[in-house]
Amino acid sequence: MKTTSFIKFISLFLLILFISCEENDDESNENEACELSYLRTFIQDTDGSTSVILFESTELTSESDVKYFWSVDGIAQEDHDTTLEYTFTENGEYEVCIFAETPECPNGVEYCDTITIEYISDEIRCEISHTNTVIQNTNNSTSVILFESTELISEYDVKYFWSVDGIFQEDHDTTLEYTFTENGEYEVCISTETPECPYGVEYCETINITSITEETSCEMSIIVDQMAN
């Protein structure tokens, strides 16, 4: 009897131990399945005024579609997949988080990490643009436009290269005065390159000329013909 009771006790103990281990394994597997993390890759930015980072998250295994929610310093982003490309404009520390919830992980899963941005320089911004001003023309047969560009900060002399519809102009400073003789759309570009901006900088804008009319010249032609007769 004692032997039988001992065997029953041992069997019951082993059964409880097996069930306990099985529950621990299930809990461990569930914890592993409900985990997120991400890697980050620095995307080289040419002008030094911003820092672009690509975040790539691990994926949750689920029978349902999974939406991922990213945030930077608590501000939600529009990306809802496993990647986030974010442009930082100021140096400092930022907390980047990713969150997801699935039927298999009803309590939700979140992973946050702090990233330090220190590559941004406010001293040199490799950006240019230009504005245009119509110079009043009296005969309406041409349209004269003055283009004025912003300047790049550099320790060296900077040459600016203007083009109109791909045709380079002789002006090499921050202004271009151009005479249009026909209506239409024209692409006006300015480009330059400095030691501080070795990749070059270019800005293009399309301008629409509509003020040119040939009516005046036609009327003058008719008047001259009548006087000759």
Side-chain angles (χ1 to χ4, degrees):
M1 290 292 293
K2 288 184 179 180
T3 304
T4 304
S5 298
F6 179 74
I7 291 173
K8 287 182 178 179
F9 173 76
I10 292 296
S11 300
L12 180 61
F13 174 77
L14 291 175
L15 179 61
I16 293 172
L17 183 64
F18 175 75
I19 293 172
S20 175
C21 290
E22 208 171 45
E23 288 178 350
N24 288 335
D25 286 343
D26 290 342
E27 185 177 346
S28 175
N29 291 335
E30 183 180 345
N31 288 337
E32 288 179 3
C34 295
E35 288 183 356
L36 279 175
S37 64
Y38 60 71
L39 299 173
R40 55 179 183 259
T41 305
F42 174 69
I43 300 176
Q44 182 67 40
D45 202 351
T46 56
D47 64 5
S49 64
T50 59
S51 186
V52 184
I53 307 291
L54 176 66
F55 299 91
E56 295 179 280
S57 167
T58 53
E59 290 189 44
L60 289 180
T61 302
S62 176
E63 296 180 357
S64 308
D65 291 336
V66 182
K67 274 194 174 183
Y68 299 85
F69 299 89
W70 293 89
S71 66
V72 179
D73 276 355
I75 300 174
Q77 307 301 308
E78 293 183 358
D79 302 66
H80 294 305
D81 55 15
T82 55
T83 61
L84 167 69
E85 186 175 308
Y86 190 85
T87 301
F88 297 90
T89 57
E90 294 182 1
N91 291 323
E93 288 191 347
Y94 298 85
E95 185 183 49
V96 181
C97 296
I98 184 171
F99 174 83
E101 185 177 327
T102 66
E104 296 84 356
C105 308
N107 296 323
V109 192
E110 185 178 40
Y111 175 79
C112 295
D113 195 12
T114 299
I115 181 173
T116 301
I117 302 298
E118 54 188 2
Y119 309 109
I120 297 173
S121 171
D122 291 328
E123 296 178 1
I124 300 169
R125 290 187 177 271
C126 296
E127 296 177 355
I128 55 175
S129 62
H130 62 68
T131 58
N132 58 78
T133 306
V134 177
I135 300 176
Q136 185 64 40
N137 204 331
T138 55
N139 61 11
N140 293 326
S141 63
T142 60
S143 182
V144 183
I145 308 292
L146 177 65
F147 298 92
E148 295 180 280
S149 166
T150 53
E151 290 189 45
L152 284 184
I153 298 173
S154 176
E155 296 180 0
Y156 303 86
D157 291 336
V158 182
K159 277 193 173 183
Y160 299 86
F161 300 91
W162 292 90
S163 67
V164 179
D165 277 355
I167 301 174
F168 284 99
Q169 309 302 308
E170 294 182 357
D171 302 66
H172 294 304
D173 56 15
T174 56
T175 60
L176 167 68
E177 186 176 307
Y178 191 85
T179 301
F180 296 90
T181 57
E182 294 181 1
N183 291 323
E185 289 189 347
Y186 298 86
E187 186 182 50
V188 181
C189 297
I190 183 171
S191 63
T192 187
E193 184 178 321
T194 67
E196 297 88 349
C197 306
Y199 295 94
V201 191
E202 185 179 44
Y203 177 80
C204 294
E205 188 175 343
T206 300
I207 181 171
N208 191 16
I209 303 298
T210 59
S211 58
I212 298 174
T213 173
E214 297 181 357
E215 292 178 4
T216 304
S217 59
C218 291
E219 289 175 359
M220 287 296 295
S221 177
I222 293 171
I223 293 171
V224 170
D225 289 342
Q226 289 177 347
M227 289 177 65
N229 294 329

